Each structure stands twice: as structure tokens, then as C-alpha cells.
Amino acid sequence: MFRAIVETQWKWTRGIVLVATIAAFSIPMAAIAIARAAVDGPGGGTFSVDTFRFVTQISSTGVFYSMTAAGLGLAVAMAAWAHDHRGKHIYALALPVARWRYALMRLGAGGLFLIPPVVGLLAGGSLVAVSGAVPAGLHAYPVAIALRFALAALVAYSVFFAVSASTPRTAGIILGTMAGVVMVQFVLETTGSHTDVIQPLVDGLFGQGGVLSVFTGRWMLIDA
Amino acid sequence: MRSALSFRAAAAGLLAAISTARPPAAPAQSVADYERQLDTLAAQLRVAELGRQALRDSVSRELSRLDSIDVGSARILAPHSLAPTVRWAMTRARDSIRNAFGDFDDILAGTHAGRPALVVRRDSSPERRDGGEGEYAVTRVRSKLPHIYLVGQVNQQGVEELRRSGEDSIALAQDIQALLLRTVMATGSPVIHHWMGIWAPTATVRGSFEWAARRLDLVGTPAAVARDCYAGDTARCLAGFGLVAVPDPVMTLYDAPTRRQAVMRLRSSAARFGNSAGVNACLRRSDDAQCVAVLRDMVLPGDPVFGYELRVSLVEEALAMGGPRAFERFFRTPGSIGQRLEAAAGRPLGEVVARWQHHVVSAQRATEDINPAIVGAALGWTVLFAALALRSTRWR
């Protein structure tokens, strides 16, 4: 049954996975091209590189890894439930399995589809590492960045999978809570209050141990 | 603008008078000839006096538009409207220097007596193009000019300029502090000049960003000694800094691959010295003997291999270790850089370098971004949300 779910879910998701894999494979190439273009002066060679500037340029491309991971997680999670939502879950209800078991299979199938982009990133990063374009003294970390990408995609996928799997009422509560926080902050600011209710939430989400902490920090394919 | 023109006319008159007021070239034939020459000289002197008077008036007019602000021994001239801001910024800069670096009033008193700094509103500058509101420039007279006549003529020869947008008084204080520090540094020993170049220490406490930048400077230095230093060999750090004598620097501080890297980096300079053939042989044929020959021409024994940024960061490490007035000790202690660093830090040189090395090596690494905490948090949240998804009530 799991195989059947994987096969059907693959048909809904393969376009997304293909685009994400190409993107993940390309980001390291683009990053190294941007960094080299920034530091290579006229007649510059592999050894004559301002390493600080090079690494700064590499660092500035880090956001594309996290954005791709987040987008991948979101799209795969949405695709996993889209057909069930459209069919009012009749197909799932007709199956002789418990609801949690069915959701677990959907979750597992979607999780499998995160692998190709991770492999794509690993391949792209490894290609950069062996290309000779990395300046002397610096090192490429394709495995570390691929692992981080995998974790970020997994977190994004599980969050959006849970939101998508929940009732419209639950999704409404989540969105309503977010809008309410923004509204409270707006009211506080208009009344001249210096209380900041958003920042603690942001800190909680992105700070150490936060649900989105894996997205923050430096995504460095190349560093010392 | 009019005053600038009148000044130029007066100065031109004065210079013309001076240039023509020479003693007679040939012996006089008679007393009458002497008298005629005397009359001519007297007339020229009168013209010169008039020119001098015009110049004095012109300077007085300019000075009347400025306030002279003295804080300690430093003096800055600024337009009336900027005077309170400048006074505050000067006090802050002076206190900051005293707290972080030491007391240099004697040096500043000597250098600023004939070289006041000017704070000029860009509005008064004839060369203003950007139309920015409230932008100003801090200028310092480099040469010992007899008169202060650089208001509105910033960025000309003989003037150093720092420019800021807006009237940020803290930024102004930082500018003034940098200006005063550079003034102090300019009077320092050649040993310090050779070591630090144009850099002046900016703080005694460095953040992780700065250490990360120095880490990259170190790993990007094309020399085996840099790699060894980064790997933890403190003695090699000392050699890279040029703080210990090294018998044959080209062979001791470099290996074959880094010699080639160093030649690659120095190839323009080597070519200017007429050693293009050696550079080509080194780079194209990887001929190490040629690399050695090129480097022997370029690398002076005792010269530090590590760049200015790394050297300044070592000074700042010594300052951080030494506490109050550490920079003053570094600056005033006679002797080598090593002796000055020891005096500043109050610790043996090896300890200073070892601590610097620890900071550089332990600066943030990319691989540290994937640590057990991040992996644990990501997996934990994934499991939690997965469990929530399995408990969905959509089918009820």
C-alpha cells in the first residue's frame, strides 16, 4: 500500500522535485561563479584571491539554500494532501487503514521526495569542491551544507504537512494568531508603547532550539 | 567665495612681491643708482605689506566665521552652528582615547599647535555636488601651513578628509578619534610605522566578526608558516609575524606550493623589478628554483609574512590583555615590536601570540553551524509536527 501511495504521490510531486533538484544542484555553481567574479581582478588567478571578500560573497548566497529548502518543504507538503482535500478524503476513508497509518504513509512518501534535491545539492557542492575553483587556504563543505539543507527541508515539510493535515479551523487559528500578534503590535505602537511582542516570538522561532533555528546562521559551502 | 578670491589675489600679490624682492644682481655704479634701487625695494616692500595685510584680513574674515574649540590639547575649528556638536564629539573622542589607549596630550599639543583640524559644513564648500543636507567633512591640515585657510576648500592637496552623511554626533566623535589617533601614530617610531602601516588600532575588544575576518586573512596568507600557525604551532606564528629571527625566510616560511602562491600574488611587483622571466618560469613551469629566486628578491629578512590586518589584530590583543594605558606603553616603549607588545600586554610575547592564535583559530567556522544542538532541534521539531499531523481530526 505504501508503494501505491508513493507512486501516486510521486506523480503529483515530481515536477516540484525536479525543479528543486535542479535549483539545489545549481546554487553551489552560481555561488562560486558570483564569488569568483567579485574577487578576480584583471589577470587574477586561483592563488591571488582576497579570501575575506570571497567568503563574504559566498556567505551572501547562503540565503538561496534556506529559501529553496523552505520552498521545497512547503510544496511537497501541500502536494501530499492536495488530492485528498480535493476529493473530500473519500479515497482515504474507503481504505481499510487507520487514519494515523494513512497519514504516516503520506508523510513518509513525501519525505522520500526530499532526497533528490538533497542529493542534487551534494553533487553540486562536491563538483565545486573538486573543480579547483576554491581558493587556496579555504575548504568546501558539501556534506555539511547538504545535511543542513536536508534538515531545513525536513522541518519545513513537517510543519506544512501538519498544517495541511489539520482542519481548516486549526489552520484558521494559526493564521488568526499570527494576524492577532501583528495587530497587537500595531496597536501598541500607535499608542506610543515601547512593548515589542513580535521580537520575543521571532527570537523563540529563530533562536537557539527554535523551530526555525535551522534556517538561520551561515550557510557556507566554502569557508576556512 | 568672494573671500576665497580676495585671498587668492592677496596671496598672489604677496608671492609676486617676495619673488621680485631680490638683492641687486650687479654692483651699483653710483649712489644715485643705489638710491633708485632702494626706492624700488621700498616700493616692493610696501606692496608686500599691503598683500600681507590683505591676507591677514582675509584670514580674519574666515576665522570670524569659526569657533575655535579646545578640548585638552586638541584644537578644532568649526562653524558656529556646529560648535556644540563638535565640542561634545571632541570630549567623547578624547575620553575614549584616554580610556582605551592612554594619555597623548603632549603629542597632540605638539602636533596641533600649528595644525588644527577643521570641521566644515559641506554647504560652505564650493565643490559640493551631492546636495546632501547637513553633510560635513572633517579635515586635517597635513603640512604646516602658516594660516588656516582651508574652509570650503576641502579635499585639496594637503588636506585629509573624512566625510559623513547627516549630523551624527557619535560618528563625528569617531571621526575625530580616528583623526587624533592617526595624528598620534604619525609621530610614532619608524618601528611602529613599519609594523602597522597606516592602520591604527580601533578598539581593544574585538567581536567574533572581526576574529572571523582575521581567521580568513590568516588562512589566505600564501605561506606555509600561516598554515602551521593556523594548525596550532605558536612558534610558527611568531615567525610569521617576524617577531623571531629566521635564517632563510624563503625556505623556512614557505614550502614549494606556497612559494608559487606567493609569487602569483607578488607577480606585478616582481615584473616591475624586471623579473618577468623568473615569474613566468615559476608560475608556468612550476619551477621552484625560480620561485625561490623571485622571492629572494622580494622578501626581506625580518619582514613579517602576515599582513597588516593580522599585525594590528595582534597589537589589539596585547592591548586587551594589558588593560588601561596599554597602547601608551606600546607606543612609548623603546625597542622592537616584540618588546612593545610585551610592555603593552604585561605578559611574555609567546603568551600574547598564543592568545591571539586561540582567538583566530576558534573564530566561527561553517562546519560549526551543523552541531548536535541544531540537528537535535530540527529532528525534534520534525517529530513533533509529524505527530501532530497524525492526530489530525479532519476525518471526524
Side-chain angles (χ1 to χ4, degrees), chain A residues 73-74 76-77 81 107 111 114 151-165 211, chain B residues 377-390:
Chain A
L74 169 69
V76 172
W81 285 113
L107 180 74
L114 301 180
L151 289 171
L154 208 55
V155 169
Y157 172 64
S158 65
V159 169
F160 290 116
F161 187 89
V163 171
S164 192
V211 63
Chain B
L379 292 178
W381 285 111
T382 300
V383 169
L384 177 69
F385 280 102
L388 287 174
L390 302 187

Side-chain angles (χ1 to χ4, degrees), chain B residues 39 109 129 171-172 190 251 265 292 306 310 327 335 344 355:
Chain B
D39 288 345
R129 298 269 189 277
L172 177 60
M251 302 307 289
R265 195 166 281 194
V292 171
F306 296 168
L310 290 171
F327 183 73
R355 196 167 135 164

Side-chain angles (χ1 to χ4, degrees), chain B residues 28-361:
Chain B
Q29 298 298 314
S30 65
V31 173
D33 287 341
Y34 277 121
E35 282 177 344
R36 268 199 302 280
Q37 285 172 2
L38 204 58
D39 288 345
T40 306
L41 280 175
Q44 287 170 345
L45 275 174
R46 275 198 299 280
V47 170
E49 180 58 31
L50 284 172
R52 198 163 66 88
Q53 185 60 44
L55 188 60
R56 192 184 298 142
D57 292 347
S58 172
V59 169
S60 300
R61 275 198 302 279
E62 290 301 337
L63 284 176
S64 67
R65 298 177 195 167
L66 299 172
D67 278 357
S68 173
I69 303 150
D70 292 295
V71 173
S73 56
R75 169 174 292 178
I76 287 186
L77 303 177
H80 300 315
S81 59
L82 272 182
T85 309
V86 171
R87 187 180 301 282
W88 179 88
M90 278 183 76
T91 307
R92 187 186 166 105
R94 195 263 318 257
D95 291 349
S96 174
I97 287 175
R98 274 196 178 157
N99 292 338
F101 300 106
D103 188 353
F104 294 100
D105 272 1
D106 56 333
I107 292 172
L108 292 173
T111 53
H112 278 275
R115 306 162 64 181
L118 306 181
V119 178
V120 185
R121 265 194 190 284
R122 294 292 294 165
D123 302 10
S124 67
S125 168
E127 68 193 37
R128 182 180 157 208
R129 298 269 189 277
D130 52 19
E133 281 292 317
E135 188 177 324
Y136 62 81
V138 181
T139 69
R140 178 167 68 105
V141 182
R142 277 190 189 144
S143 54
K144 289 207 172 193
L145 296 177
H147 300 291
I148 303 150
Y149 195 79
L150 290 160
V151 179
Q153 295 186 25
V154 291
N155 207 17
Q156 300 290 321
Q157 194 177 7
V159 176
E160 183 180 354
E161 183 181 1
L162 300 164
R163 205 176 293 189
R164 292 274 185 193
S165 292
E167 293 194 23
D168 183 348
S169 49
I170 291 177
L172 177 60
Q174 287 169 345
D175 281 352
I176 292 173
Q177 179 179 328
L179 184 148
L180 295 180
L181 263 182
R182 280 208 305 281
T183 305
V184 170
M185 293 290 288
T187 67
S189 154
V191 175
I192 295 178
H193 280 287
H194 182 63
W195 175 267
M196 299 183 75
I198 58 166
W199 272 271
T202 52
T204 51
V205 177
R206 286 187 156 257
S208 57
F209 178 81
E210 284 83 3
W211 281 118
R214 297 297 79 81
R215 178 174 61 85
L216 293 171
D217 289 336
L218 182 63
V219 299
T221 302
V225 72
R227 188 189 56 217
D228 297 343
C229 173
Y230 188 69
D233 188 338
T234 307
R236 294 287 275 167
C237 297
L238 283 161
F241 276 120
L243 295 170
V244 290
V246 172
D248 184 355
V250 173
M251 302 307 289
T252 315
L253 303 180
Y254 301 85
D255 55 13
T258 55
R259 272 194 286 275
R260 189 162 174 266
Q261 290 171 23
V263 170
M264 175 69 88
R265 195 166 281 194
L266 295 168
R267 66 191 186 282
S268 304
S269 309
R272 277 200 294 277
F273 283 116
N275 204 354
S276 299
V279 171
N280 287 338
C282 168
L283 297 182
R284 290 186 185 165
R285 298 203 305 269
S286 297
D287 184 342
D288 189 47
Q290 291 295 329
C291 296
V292 171
V294 170
L295 284 180
R296 285 213 166 114
D297 278 350
M298 307 291 295
V299 178
L300 294 174
D303 259 9
V305 172
F306 296 168
Y308 284 115
E309 291 93 339
L310 290 171
R311 289 181 241 160
V312 172
S313 70
L314 181 64
V315 172
E316 289 175 347
E317 183 64 60
L319 301 186
M321 290 172 78
R325 305 182 83 107
F327 183 73
E328 200 179 344
R329 293 195 294 278
F330 174 79
F331 192 81
R332 296 186 195 273
T333 299
S336 66
I337 286 294
Q339 290 166 321
R340 288 167 187 268
L341 288 170
E342 284 186 335
R347 295 275 206 287
L349 185 59
E351 199 177 315
V352 178
V353 173
R355 196 167 135 164
W356 170 89
Q357 186 187 21
H358 169 74
H359 276 129
V360 168
V361 173

